[in-house]
C-alpha cells in the first residue's frame, strides 16, 4: 500500500510540473501570436478508455525559428503483433518515427520515445490513432503534452556566421568584431580596407595588418589614377606571402587590373618582378578566404611618362624598330607574309600609326591572313573537306565526286601568300589541276567458265565495258573512258556520218532500259585499208577505230570502262587465258540476244593459217581448240580482255588486249580467230583522244 501511494504521489508531482510549465508558456502566448505554444493531445475517452473503432488525427507545426516537441506521459493500448489491432503512429516532418501499442511506463517513454519526438526548425509533428472493432479488456489510451520552443541557431555550426552570432526568439543574426564590416550576405565579416588614391603619383600599398598576417575574408580594392600621359610602375618590397595551393592555384590573391590590357593575378611566396602597367589608372584587388596565417604584400608605386611599344597589331612588324616609342612618334606597320590589312579591297599590307598620349597606337588596323577562297572545280571533282579553312598556309585536298572515278595525280594544295592554291611542286591549281579519270578494269560480279560460241550468259556487272550496236551492222565495242569506246574499224567503216547508237549496261539486247549513247565522232585508223562496196576483204591490218560519244557516259555498277594495256611489246596474254565476250553467234547459224563470254588462249600465227588472208604483227590469233571456244559473227569489235574473267584485282585490273577482228567463215569449225593487237596502237589512241 505504501509503494502504491508513493507512485501515485510521483505521478501527481509530474503532472503538476507539466501544468506549471503549461501555465508559464500560456503567459508567453503573445510572443508567437496565434500559434499555440503548448497543449495536450490524448486518445478519445481518456482516461476512462476508448471505444472500438476510435480514431484521432493530430498535427501541429512550429513557426520559423522554433521547433515543436511532444512528451508522452501515458500509454495503454491493446497489445498485438506489430500493432496491427490498435496503434498510435507518430511522425516528424512527415517521416514515421514510431508505431506504438501495449503499455509503457513513464520511465520507458522517457528513455526510448520522448527524446525523439521533436520537429526540425519550422517543421511539424503529427499523430494518428486508430482502434479496431473490439478489445478483450478496456484500455485507457494515451496522453501527451506538446510545447513550441525557440531554436538556438547560434549552436548550429552550419549557420555560416564567420565571427559572432546573436540568438533571439524566432531567429538569429551575425555581427562582426571591431574593424570588420558585415557583407551583403549578412553572414560574412570582411575587413574594411578599400582605398582611393586618385592623384597620388607615389606611395606604398600594403595588405591589411602588415607586417603581421592579413585577416580572413578580406576584399580590398585600391584605386590608383593620374592624368593622361603618365603610367604606374609597381615594385614589390620585402616579403611576399599570399596563400596558394600546391598545384599552383591561388587560394588568396592579389590582382593588378590596368585600364586596358589583361589583368594579372599573383599569389605564392616568390616576390614578383617590377611591373610597368602602361595605364594611367590601375585597380589593385586583394582577396583572402576564411582561414590562413600568411603575411601578405607590400608594394611601392610611382609614375613615369607613357610610352608605346610594339607590335601595333598581331602578325605585323614596325619600322623603325625600337623597344619603346615616345608620344608623337610615327611608325610604319607592315603585315607579315601571307597577311593583308583587314577589309582592304586593294590587299595593301602596310600603313602609318602614331603613338598617343595614353600609350596606345592610332590607327590600329588588324592584319588578317590571305584567303584563297573555295576554288572553282570542274565537273566530277570536289573538296575532300568542304568546311576546311581556306586562309594562308592551310591545305585542301581534292577528290572525285563518286567512286567510279579517281584522281590522276596528287590532290593536295596549299594557300600561298599571293592568295593562290599551289601544289607541292609550286604550280598553281589551274596549272596543275588533277583530273578525275574513270576507274577502269573493275567489275561488280565475278564468275567462271562459259563460252561465246555456244558459251555461257554473263550476269549484270560482270563485263560492264561491253557495248553493243545492232542497227545497220551488228557488232560490239569496249568502253575505255566516260567518253570514248574502242572497236574494229570495219564495224564502223562507212558509217562515220550516220547517227550511230550504242547500248551499254545490259546483258540482254532486248532490255528496255539500256544506257543509250550517241556517237559524236567516229575515227578510223588512218592506215586502215578501206574496201570498195562489194569488194572482198582479205586484209584486216589496222582494224581499229575510236568512237567519241556526244555526252559523258553516266557510269555505274553495270557500265564502267576497261583499261588499256600497260605494255607495248611481248606476248599479248603472257601465256595465260583471257576472256572474249559479245552478242554474236553461239550456235551454227544463230546469234545471241544474251551477252556471252568464254575463255581463250593465244596461239602462234603459224598455227592459225587461213588461206588468202593477210596476217601482220598488228594482229594475233586466239581461241580454244579443246573446248571449242571462239568468237563469232556479231562479236566483231568486241573485247578480248585479260586477265581471265574472275581474276581481276585492283593491282591487276582488266585490260582490253584485243579487238575481235576476223576469222573463219564457220564459227567453231577451227575455234581460232584473229584479234587486233591493241598494245600496238596505244600512242595513236592517246593522241587521238587528246586532240578530239
Amino acid at each position: 500500500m505504501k509503494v502504491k501511494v508513493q507512485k501515485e504521489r510521483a505521478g501527481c508531482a509530474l503532472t503538476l510540473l507539466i501544468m506549471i510549465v503549461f501555465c508559464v508558456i500560456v503567459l508567453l502566448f503573445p510572443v508567437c501570436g496565434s500559434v499555440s505554444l503548448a497543449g495536450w493531445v490524448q486518445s478519445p475517452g481518456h482516461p476512462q478508455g476508448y471505444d472500438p473503432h476510435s480514431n484521432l488525427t493530430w498535427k501541429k507545426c512550429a513557426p520559423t525559428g522554433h521547433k515543436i516537441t511532444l512528451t508522452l506521459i501515458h500509454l495503454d493500448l491493446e497489445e498485438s503483433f506489430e500493432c496491427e489491432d490498435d496503434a498510435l503512429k507518430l511522425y516528424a516532418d512527415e517521416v514515421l518515427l514510431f508505431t506504438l501499442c501495449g503499455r509503457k511506463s513513464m520511465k520507458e517513454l522517457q528513455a526510448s520515445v520522448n527524446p525523439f519526438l521533436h520537429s526540425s526548425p519550422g517543421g511539424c509533428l503529427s499523430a494518428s490513432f486508430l482502434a479496431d472493432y473490439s478489445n478483450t479488456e478496456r484500455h485507457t489510451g494515451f496522453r501527451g503534452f506538446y510545447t513550441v520552443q525557440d531554436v538556438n541557431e547560434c549552436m548550429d555550426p552550419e549557420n555560416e556566421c564567420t565571427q559572432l552570432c546573436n540568438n533571439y526568439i524566432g531567429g538569429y543574426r551575425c555581427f562582426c568584431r571591431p574593424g570588420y564590416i558585415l557583407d551583403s550576405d549578412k553572414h560574412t565579416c570582411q575587413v574594411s580596407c578599400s582605398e582611393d588614391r586618385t592623384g597620388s603619383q607615389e606611395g606604398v600599398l600594403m595588405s591589411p595588418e602588415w607586417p603581421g598576417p592579413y585577416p580572413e575574408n578580406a576584399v580590398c580594392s585600391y584605386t590608383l589614377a593620374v592624368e593622361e600621359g603618365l603610367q604606374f610602375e609597381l615594385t614589390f618590397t620585402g616579403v611576399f606571402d599570399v596563400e596558394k595551393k600546391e598545384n599552383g592555384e591561388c587560394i588568396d590573391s592579389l590582382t593588378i587590373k590596368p585600364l586596358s590590357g589583361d589583368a594579372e593575378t599573383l599569389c605564392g611566396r616568390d616576390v614578383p618582378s617590377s611591373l610597368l602597367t602602361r595605364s594611367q589608372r590601375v585597380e589593385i584587388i586583394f582577396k583572402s578566404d576564411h582561414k590562413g596565417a600568411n603575411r601578405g604584400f607590400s608594394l611601392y608605386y610611382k609614375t613615369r611618362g607613357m610610352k608605346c611599344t610594339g607590335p601595333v597589331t598581331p602578325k605585323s612588324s614596325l619600322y623603325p624598330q625600337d623597344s619603346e616609342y615616345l608620344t608623337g612618334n610615327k611608325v610604319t606597320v607592315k603585315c607579315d607574309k601571307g597577311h593583308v590589312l583587314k577589309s582592304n579591297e586593294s590587299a595593301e599590307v602596310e600603313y602609318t600609326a602614331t603613338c598617343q598620349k595614353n600609350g596606345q597606337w592610332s590607327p590600329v588596323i588588324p592584319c588578317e591572313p590571305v584567303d584563297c577562297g573555295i576554288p572553282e572545280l570542274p565537273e566530277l571533282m570536289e573538296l575532300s573537306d568542304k568546311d576546311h579553312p581556306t586562309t594562308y598556309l592551310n591545305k585542301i585536298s581534292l577528290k572525285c565526286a563518286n567512286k567510279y572515278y579517281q584522281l590522276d595525280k596528287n590532290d593536295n594544295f596549299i594557300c600561298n601568300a599571293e592568295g593562290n592554291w599551289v601544289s607541292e611542286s609550286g604550280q598553281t591549281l589551274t596549272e596543275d589541276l588533277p583530273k578525275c579519270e574513270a576507274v577502269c578494269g573493275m567489275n561488280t560480279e565475278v564468275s567462271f567458265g562459259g563460252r561465246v560460241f555456244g558459251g555461257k550468259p554473263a550476269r549484270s556487272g560482270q563485263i560492264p565495258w561491253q557495248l553493243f550496236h545492232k542497227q545497220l551492222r551488228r557488232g560490239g565495242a569496249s568502253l575505255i573512258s566516260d567518253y570514248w569506246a574502242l572497236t574494229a574499224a570495219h564495224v564502223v567503216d562507212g558509217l562515220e556520218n550516220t547517227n550511230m547508237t550504242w547500248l551499254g549496261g545490259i546483258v540482254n539486247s532486248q532490255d528496255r532500259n539500256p544506257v543509250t549513247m550517241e556517237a559524236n565522232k567516229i575515227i578510223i585508223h588512218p592506215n586502215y585499208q578501206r574496201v570498195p562496196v562489194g569488194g572482198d576483204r582479205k586484209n584486216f591490218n589496222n582494224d581499229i577505230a575510236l568512237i567519241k560519244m556526244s555526252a559523258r557516259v553516266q557510269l555505274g555498277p553495270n557500265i564502267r570502262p576497261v583499261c588499256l594495256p600497260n605494255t607495248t611489246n611481248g606476248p599479248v596474254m603472257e601465256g595465260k587465258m583471257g576472256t572474249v565476250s559479245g552478242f554474236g553467234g553461239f550456235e551454227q547459224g544463230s546469234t545471241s540476244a544474251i551477252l556471252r563470254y568464254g575463255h581463250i588462249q593465244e596461239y602462234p600465227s603459224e598455227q592459225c593459217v587461213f588461206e588468202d588472208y593477210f596476217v601482220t604483227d598488228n594482229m594475233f590469233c586466239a581461241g580454244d581448240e579443246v573446248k571449242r571456244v571462239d568468237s563469232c559473227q556479231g562479236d566483231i569489235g568486241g573485247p578480248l580482255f585479260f586477265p581471265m574473267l574472275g581474276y581481276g584485282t585492283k593491282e591487276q585490273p582488266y585490260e582490253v588486249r584485243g579487238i575481235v577482228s576476223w576469222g573463219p567463215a564457220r564459227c567453231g569449225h577451227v575455234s581460232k580467230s584473229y584479234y587486233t593487237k591493241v598494245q600496238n596502237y596505244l600512242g595513236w589512241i592517246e593522241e587521238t583522244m587528246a586532240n578530239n
Side-chain angles (χ1 to χ4, degrees):
M1 176 64 73
K2 184 178 181 180
V3 173
K4 181 177 181 181
V5 171
Q6 288 177 342
K7 288 183 178 181
E8 288 178 352
R9 287 178 178 174
C12 291
L14 179 60
T15 302
L16 179 61
L17 176 62
I18 292 173
M19 289 302 294
I20 292 171
V21 173
F22 176 76
C23 292
V24 172
I25 292 175
V26 169
L27 291 174
L28 297 176
F29 178 79
V31 175
C32 295
S34 61
V35 178
S36 177
L37 297 181
W40 295 94
V41 58
Q42 60 190 27
S43 57
H46 180 84
Q48 285 76 20
Y50 57 87
D51 295 330
H53 299 294
S54 294
N55 65 84
L56 172 71
T57 299
W58 172 85
K59 183 175 183 179
K60 285 290 180 180
C61 296
T64 302
H66 295 73
K67 66 179 180 178
I68 185 168
T69 63
L70 177 64
T71 302
L72 285 180
I73 63 173
H74 181 79
L75 181 70
D76 178 20
L77 306 180
E78 180 185 9
E79 184 77 48
S80 61
F81 176 71
E82 295 186 348
C83 299
E84 59 185 10
D85 293 340
D86 300 349
L88 172 64
K89 295 185 178 182
L90 300 171
Y91 301 84
D93 302 322
E94 308 301 330
V95 176
L96 179 64
L97 299 180
F98 296 100
T99 299
L100 303 174
C101 61
R103 290 186 175 89
K104 287 187 182 294
S105 66
M106 183 65 189
K107 183 177 180 181
E108 290 176 313
L109 291 171
Q110 284 291 86
S112 60
V113 177
N114 289 337
F116 305 100
L117 298 184
H118 59 82
S119 70
S120 61
C124 302
L125 282 181
S126 57
S128 173
F129 170 69
L130 181 64
D132 66 355
Y133 62 92
S134 66
N135 289 321
T136 57
E137 61 179 279
R138 194 162 187 81
H139 295 276
T140 55
F142 72 90
R143 195 179 197 208
F145 177 70
Y146 70 86
T147 60
V148 176
Q149 304 170 4
D150 175 60
V151 176
N152 187 356
E153 290 90 351
C154 290
M155 299 300 293
D156 184 356
E158 296 183 1
N159 67 17
E160 298 180 349
C161 287
T162 59
Q163 289 190 359
L164 304 175
C165 179
N166 176 37
N167 184 74
Y168 58 85
I169 296 176
Y172 73 103
R173 64 173 58 90
C174 301
F175 62 101
C176 304
R177 297 192 296 268
Y180 290 83
I181 58 174
L182 192 64
D183 188 53
S184 58
D185 65 4
K186 303 300 181 183
H187 286 78
T188 304
C189 292
Q190 296 181 346
V191 66
S192 179
C193 54
S194 295
E195 189 175 352
D196 187 347
R197 296 198 182 183
T198 298
S200 173
Q201 295 190 9
E202 185 176 10
V204 176
L205 290 178
M206 297 174 291
S207 55
E209 302 183 14
W210 174 270
Y214 54 78
E216 74 274 11
N217 298 312
V219 179
C220 307
S221 177
Y222 308 98
T223 301
L224 305 178
V226 288
E227 68 269 17
E228 190 178 30
L230 297 176
Q231 61 178 322
F232 285 99
E233 182 178 15
L234 309 179
T235 303
F236 289 89
T237 59
V239 173
F240 183 85
D241 181 17
V242 178
E243 186 179 11
K244 76 172 183 178
K245 296 181 180 179
E246 292 183 0
N247 61 6
E249 181 181 348
C250 291
I251 299 175
D252 302 334
S253 63
L254 178 67
T255 300
I256 312 297
K257 188 176 181 181
L259 183 63
S260 61
D262 297 330
E264 185 173 358
T265 298
L266 307 171
C267 61
R269 293 187 174 180
D270 295 330
V271 178
S273 302
S274 295
L275 180 64
L276 191 61
T277 62
R278 295 187 49 74
S279 177
Q280 69 185 80
R281 179 184 174 88
V282 179
E283 185 178 8
I284 301 173
I285 303 170
F286 176 68
K287 293 182 179 180
S288 64
D289 67 352
H290 61 280
K291 60 181 178 179
N294 300 74
R295 292 182 59 186
F297 68 93
S298 172
L299 66 83
Y300 168 72
Y301 67 87
K302 67 178 181 178
T303 58
R304 54 179 287 188
M306 188 75 76
K307 294 182 181 180
C308 298
T309 60
V312 174
T313 183
K315 302 296 181 183
S316 70
S317 53
L318 301 183
Y319 300 96
Q321 294 184 352
D322 206 341
S323 58
E324 293 182 329
Y325 300 85
L326 299 176
T327 299
N329 285 169
K330 295 182 181 295
V331 294
T332 298
V333 183
K334 184 176 181 179
C335 295
D336 294 345
K337 180 179 179 181
H339 293 75
V340 294
L341 298 181
K342 186 176 182 180
S343 303
N344 192 304
E345 296 181 358
S346 61
E348 293 183 5
V349 298
E350 64 181 43
Y351 66 97
T352 300
T354 304
C355 179
Q356 307 296 304
K357 289 182 66 176
N358 61 2
Q360 304 297 316
W361 293 99
S362 180
V364 176
I365 305 175
C367 292
E368 61 182 13
V370 169
D371 194 340
C372 291
I374 299 176
E376 293 186 9
L377 299 174
E379 184 184 5
L380 301 176
M381 192 178 298
E382 63 185 15
L383 295 177
S384 299
D385 184 355
K386 295 181 181 179
D387 297 326
H388 196 76
T390 57
T391 51
Y392 178 58
L393 296 183
N394 276 293
K395 292 183 179 180
I396 59 170
S397 60
L398 308 178
K399 68 176 183 178
C400 296
N402 68 55
K403 65 180 181 180
Y404 301 108
Y405 291 86
Q406 62 186 4
L407 294 177
D408 64 343
K409 56 185 174 183
N410 184 19
D411 60 348
N412 294 317
F413 293 84
I414 188 170
C415 180
N416 71 0
E418 288 72 42
N420 298 315
W421 292 108
V422 295
S423 62
E424 293 178 354
S425 62
Q427 294 179 291
T428 64
L429 179 64
T430 53
E431 296 171 338
D432 197 22
L433 181 67
K435 296 179 181 178
C436 279
E437 296 182 340
V439 177
C440 66
M442 302 303 297
N443 60 1
T444 54
E445 186 177 347
V446 295
S447 184
F448 306 96
R451 298 170 295 173
V452 176
F453 178 76
K456 185 175 182 179
R459 292 198 291 272
S460 294
Q462 273 188 303
I463 311 174
W465 44 85
Q466 176 79 51
L467 302 186
F468 176 55
H469 175 69
K470 60 182 178 179
Q471 299 171 337
L472 303 176
R473 192 174 298 156
R474 191 180 182 91
S478 302
L479 191 68
I480 58 174
S481 78
D482 54 0
Y483 270 103
W484 291 89
L486 193 64
T487 188
H490 75 276
V491 173
V492 294
D493 188 10
L495 303 178
E496 293 96 319
N497 297 319
T498 62
N499 294 326
M500 199 170 193
T501 301
W502 290 85
L503 306 179
I506 58 174
V507 292
N508 187 334
S509 62
Q510 306 302 319
D511 195 314
R512 296 183 179 182
N513 296 301
V515 177
T516 302
M517 293 155 276
E518 300 294 333
N520 181 46
K521 287 184 180 181
I522 296 175
I523 304 173
I524 295 176
H525 194 276
N527 296 330
Y528 172 72
Q529 293 184 2
R530 298 171 183 258
V531 175
V533 177
D536 186 15
R537 173 175 296 282
K538 295 294 184 179
N539 185 350
F540 288 88
N541 193 30
N542 302 308
D543 190 14
I544 187 171
L546 283 166
I547 307 165
K548 185 178 183 182
M549 305 304 174
S550 60
R552 186 187 303 277
V553 178
Q554 297 300 312
L555 304 182
N558 296 328
I559 182 163
R560 302 177 68 171
V562 68
C563 298
L564 292 171
N566 60 9
T567 181
T568 57
N569 53 47
V572 176
M573 292 191 290
E574 305 167 5
K576 299 179 182 179
M577 301 284 281
T579 300
V580 63
S581 60
F583 289 89
F586 69 101
E587 293 178 354
Q588 291 294 342
S590 64
T591 58
S592 175
I594 305 299
L595 177 63
R596 297 176 180 271
Y597 66 89
H599 307 311
I600 58 177
Q601 60 182 325
E602 184 179 0
Y603 287 98
S605 297
E606 57 269 18
Q607 297 183 21
C608 302
V609 178
F610 302 116
E611 188 176 354
D612 298 330
Y613 281 83
F614 187 63
V615 177
T616 73
D617 187 51
N618 291 324
M619 50 188 85
F620 66 95
C621 178
D624 190 337
E625 292 181 316
V626 178
K627 296 182 179 180
R628 297 186 64 225
V629 177
D630 195 9
S631 56
C632 193
Q633 291 85 1
D635 295 325
I636 305 302
L640 191 168
F641 54 91
F642 179 87
M644 186 172 68
L645 183 64
Y647 290 90
T649 63
K650 288 184 179 180
E651 293 73 26
Q652 187 175 25
Y654 295 107
E655 299 176 355
V656 56
R657 298 287 180 93
I659 302 171
V660 178
S661 182
W662 61 279
R666 293 175 59 194
C667 299
H669 178 68
V670 180
S671 299
K672 296 175 185 175
S673 295
Y674 270 94
Y675 299 79
T676 302
K677 189 183 295 184
V678 177
Q679 66 189 35
N680 288 7
Y681 297 93
L682 295 179
W684 174 78
I685 292 171
E686 292 172 359
E687 182 181 355
T688 301
M689 292 169 62
N691 295 334
N692 290 276

